[in-house]
Amino acid sequence: MTDNQRVITEDQRQQAKLIWDFHQMHHQARPCDVAIGLGSHDLGVPAFCAELYRAGLFETLVFTGGPNPTAPERFPHGEAVHFREHAIALGVPVEAILLEPKARNTGQNITLSREVLAAAGITPATVLLVSMPYMERRSFATARKVWPEAEVICASEPLEFDDYLKSIGDEKLVTDQLVGDLQRVIEYPKLGFAIEQDVPEDVHAAYQSLLAAGFDSRLLKP
């Protein structure tokens, strides 16, 4: 498989969709004390945060993230800064948003956001964690590890897998990301970064098949 391959086979698409479904926690979004929008390359995160804010699910929103490690040119001022700008353009009041502009990984996203909230005098019991769709499970597992006192509800833009593939426009990249995030779900508990998650046999088989087929550009560095 070449790096510039854009089209995956039907079998690979079915395997990727299985992993996609596993990555989502299928929580019901409900009112929470605060929301945290996790930095990424996807403006669907701040757009969905704005939608949830308008629906009255929270009063305080933290955007967290420094420069994107894989595409720093996309948000040159850092993920959190650009996410805040996007949310404000969609009607979220400036005073509702707190900024955490330094985090470089999901653990830091959550830990540093907690510190920003504490500095503002906020100790939430419930947190709405908004991420990209395929990052829900890893974000949940990380939050449960580093912030066990808070009840975490996961949310992401409600997109079907095929619609997400079209929105990104690079089927191999999305599949690589799904595989990379699943590797982290499996490996991070051993490193102390996240709680353990049971991976169903069919999901693990799909993961191994896609790895063997070369969907590996987003794996952890040895």
Side-chain angles (χ1 to χ4, degrees):
M1 176 178 294
T2 60
D3 287 341
N4 62 359
Q5 181 173 339
R6 300 290 177 175
V7 180
I8 59 179
T9 69
E10 180 56 27
D11 281 349
Q12 290 166 348
R13 193 192 70 80
Q14 291 295 337
Q15 292 164 349
K17 185 179 185 303
L18 196 63
I19 296 173
W20 164 273
D21 289 339
F22 172 70
H23 278 316
Q24 296 187 45
M25 297 299 296
H26 305 288
H27 290 167
Q28 180 66 45
R30 59 177 175 81
C32 289
D33 296 331
V34 301
I36 299 175
L38 298 178
S40 67
H41 58 77
D42 188 351
L43 285 174
V45 173
F48 194 51
C49 285
E51 183 178 329
L52 296 175
Y53 178 84
R54 291 194 299 269
L57 267 60
F58 51 85
E59 295 182 356
T60 302
L61 169 61
V62 182
F63 283 125
T64 168
N68 187 283
T70 57
E73 72 287 347
R74 179 161 171 75
F75 300 130
H77 302 298
E79 297 164 339
V81 172
H82 286 272
F83 278 21
R84 178 177 63 177
E85 291 172 354
H86 195 65
I88 290 169
L90 293 172
V92 180
V94 175
E95 59 272 17
I97 302 174
L98 298 174
L99 201 63
E100 187 297 295
K102 298 177 181 177
R104 302 301 296 266
N105 56 55
T106 306
Q108 291 179 6
N109 283 142
I110 295 165
T111 301
L112 296 178
S113 292
R114 183 182 185 179
E115 293 175 3
V116 166
L117 286 162
I122 301 171
T123 305
T126 54
V127 176
L128 189 63
L129 204 57
V130 185
S131 69
M132 294 185 294
Y134 65 83
M135 275 189 64
E136 280 194 23
R137 185 169 294 276
R138 178 160 66 88
S139 302
F140 176 80
T142 303
R144 295 297 301 129
K145 181 69 176 183
V146 304
W147 199 353
E149 303 88 349
E151 181 184 358
V152 175
I153 308 298
C154 292
S156 62
E157 190 177 14
L159 286 172
E160 296 295 331
F161 179 55
D162 287 345
D163 292 332
Y164 188 78
L165 282 178
K166 290 173 186 173
S167 74
I168 300 300
D170 186 335
E171 295 181 354
K172 181 183 186 302
L173 175 62
V174 171
T175 306
D176 284 352
Q177 290 169 329
L178 292 171
V179 168
D181 254 55
L182 183 50
Q183 184 200 34
R184 287 159 175 79
V185 167
I186 295 168
E187 297 298 331
Y188 275 4
K190 305 170 191 175
L191 301 172
F193 298 160
I195 65 166
E196 193 86 33
Q197 301 274 290
D198 290 329
V199 180
E201 288 184 13
D202 57 347
V203 174
H204 201 271
Y207 167 71
Q208 293 292 349
S209 178
L210 291 171
L211 271 181
F215 292 93
D216 55 10
S217 76
R218 291 295 182 267
L219 296 182
L220 293 165
K221 300 290 188 268

